[in-house]
Amino acid sequence: MQASQPPPPFYEKYLQDDVMSQECKDLLSSVPSEEDWFPTSLHLYQGFWFPSWLLNGVLACQNHFQAHPSDILLVTSPKCGTSWLKAILFSLLNRGKYSDSDSQQRHPLLTQNPHDLVPFLELRLYLQQKNPDLTAFASPRLLATHLPYSSLPQSVRDSKCKLVYLCRNPKDNIVSMWHFINKARPEEKGQIPLLECLDKFCRGVSMYGPYWDHVLGYHKASSEMPEKVLFVKYEEMKEDPSVHVRRLADFMGCPFSEEELRDGTVEGILRMCSFDNLSALEVNKSGKLSTGLERKWFFRKGEVGDWVNYMSAEMGERIDGVMEEKLHGSGLKF
Ligand code: PAP
């Protein structure tokens, strides 16, 4: 009897010759590249590193996405708490529909993963179709991206749409990414040593990296256009989530009423979106996203400071040193 073949890795379909545009193929063969962990290659495009399987989606998004002034875009580097913020932003915008106990039983987060409810642009919509029809999205459209500020589609930068940017302490970010990559890699490729991830990160070579340039781009945009870009840290959200949920609601133009503040709406949203609640739901324990990634991979620990359980003090100091040097003068600290 023949041994069954393992399923193809999730990215394989996006690398097929008939799926990739000629523009993307030309780019892939002309820009600097590095080995990635998935294991595909990373390519330096507009100053940032993108996996080969993703670049087609990035180009399609840049070429075709038309922002509306009412759009709200969540922006993160991968593994900065995207799933959590997607859940929170979705709940904030749709809270009117699920305010009583009957409608709460039908809350979409109970049966759908945050990534299904708030789709990525380049990492889903424009990865799966060159120019997807977005007319079915209700206004305001809630969408997400990992793109750096300087690589956003021109219409996003030109329009009055709003951007919520979430970043995270790089040490926890690396540890989270390392776990994720090791789950997503084909089993026969084995595990990647954490030190290898760290070495590349410190050279700026990570998905959508250099990490510091990603953060700095949005930090600057937020300082210059606070009405357009809200800059949020995962650690601050964890420390005082209700303050930040109110800040998010104000920024998105849907502030809490006095009555909502009295009747526990903020706490209800935080309970629904908590790590414990979301990670225990059947929908997040099994099955795959349409991109092919397993839903359960997006819920690991959801803690601040978990890096100490995986990195030596020296490794931590090395990252701190690089970040201090790169963020020098920006007023930004982790
Ligand atoms: P993405 O950027 O690839 O979409 P993202 O959702 O940012 O991934 O990464 C998952 C991280 O968010 C995990 O962090 P960890 O590895 O350090 O644990 C995951 O546990 C965390 N996370 C997911 N849901 C929540 C939540 N509800 N609250 C807090 N953290 C969460």
Side-chain angles (χ1 to χ4, degrees):
M1 214 166 76
Q2 255 190 336
S4 63
Q5 292 287 316
F10 74 93
Y11 46 75
E12 212 166 87
K13 60 184 168 190
Y14 306 117
L15 285 167
Q16 281 167 14
D17 197 54
D18 55 339
V19 169
M20 225 181 249
S21 68
Q22 192 56 46
E23 183 189 8
C24 185
K25 287 177 197 162
D26 293 344
L27 195 67
L28 284 173
S29 60
S30 62
V31 296
S33 67
E34 283 251 353
E35 202 184 318
D36 190 12
W37 305 303
F38 265 136
T40 49
S41 45
L42 284 172
H43 296 260
L44 190 64
Y45 170 60
Q46 299 181 335
F48 290 85
W49 292 96
F50 297 94
S52 49
W53 54 269
L54 181 63
L55 211 47
N56 204 42
V58 172
L59 295 177
C61 175
Q62 290 183 326
N63 290 339
H64 298 290
F65 178 66
Q66 286 304 318
H68 295 174
S70 56
D71 286 347
I72 295 166
L73 256 69
L74 170 65
V75 191
T76 56
S77 270
K79 308 302 153 211
C80 283
T82 321
S83 309
W84 187 27
L85 253 280
K86 280 187 175 185
I88 289 179
L89 299 188
F90 178 88
S91 303
L92 279 174
L93 277 181
N94 292 285
R95 67 187 188 267
K97 292 184 216 157
Y98 308 104
S99 54
D100 58 58
S101 53
D102 269 359
S103 56
Q104 276 162 15
Q105 310 296 316
R106 299 192 306 271
H107 198 292
L109 276 169
L110 296 173
T111 50
Q112 293 175 75
N113 177 275
H115 289 298
D116 291 323
L117 292 170
V118 184
F120 278 116
L121 293 174
E122 80 288 357
L123 195 45
R124 184 174 130 196
L125 298 170
Y126 289 85
L127 182 64
Q128 295 173 341
Q129 277 183 54
K130 185 174 159 200
N131 194 5
D133 180 7
L134 307 186
T135 48
F137 281 73
S139 177
R141 303 185 302 186
L142 180 56
L143 300 159
T145 181
H146 287 318
L147 286 173
Y149 187 78
S150 51
S151 293
L152 286 171
Q154 194 60 41
S155 70
V156 174
R157 283 180 283 163
D158 291 347
S159 94
K160 284 198 168 357
C161 70
K162 287 179 183 272
L163 309 177
V164 173
Y165 183 73
L166 178 74
C167 60
R168 187 177 190 186
N169 182 301
K171 297 186 291 253
D172 283 338
N173 177 259
I174 295 173
V175 165
S176 183
M177 190 52 145
W178 174 64
H179 279 100
F180 188 87
I181 291 162
N182 281 330
K183 286 173 198 151
R185 270 166 71 85
E187 221 177 296
E188 67 275 13
K189 296 283 177 192
Q191 303 276 295
I192 297 277
L194 180 55
L195 196 55
E196 204 175 298
C197 288
L198 193 151
D199 283 342
K200 286 205 181 200
F201 181 95
C202 289
R203 287 196 294 116
V205 184
S206 59
M207 193 169 163
Y208 294 91
Y211 183 75
W212 46 86
D213 283 339
H214 202 283
V215 178
L216 283 171
Y218 285 96
H219 188 252
K220 181 165 177 281
S222 170
S223 314
E224 292 170 358
M225 297 169 286
E227 69 297 338
K228 182 171 180 72
V229 184
L230 182 70
F231 190 90
V232 187
K233 286 182 178 165
Y234 181 88
E235 293 73 25
E236 292 171 350
M237 286 279 309
K238 283 292 255 189
E239 193 173 329
D240 201 342
S242 60
V243 164
H244 290 282
V245 163
R246 288 165 65 175
R247 201 174 147 224
L248 287 165
D250 290 344
F251 176 74
M252 294 199 297
C254 56
F256 288 99
S257 65
E258 287 299 320
E259 193 190 339
E260 284 179 314
L261 292 175
R262 273 195 310 272
D263 73 9
T265 303
V266 175
E267 292 73 16
I269 288 176
L270 288 173
R271 258 195 316 278
M272 171 63 80
C273 301
S274 70
F275 180 87
D276 287 350
N277 183 56
L278 293 183
S279 61
L281 294 169
E282 199 46 49
V283 64
N284 296 323
K285 291 199 286 188
S286 61
K288 291 181 179 182
L289 298 177
S290 63
T291 39
L293 295 161
E294 302 231 11
R295 294 199 191 100
K296 61 175 186 254
W297 293 344
F298 292 86
F299 301 91
R300 191 182 64 89
K301 271 192 186 171
E303 286 174 7
V304 172
D306 187 43
W307 67 271
V308 294
N309 297 312
Y310 301 93
M311 286 186 194
S312 63
E314 292 73 35
M315 288 161 93
E317 281 162 18
R318 203 171 133 203
I319 299 165
D320 288 345
V322 171
M323 291 304 289
E324 264 166 46
E325 184 200 320
K326 302 292 183 184
L327 301 184
H328 183 75
S330 68
L332 187 59
K333 262 196 183 144
F334 283 100

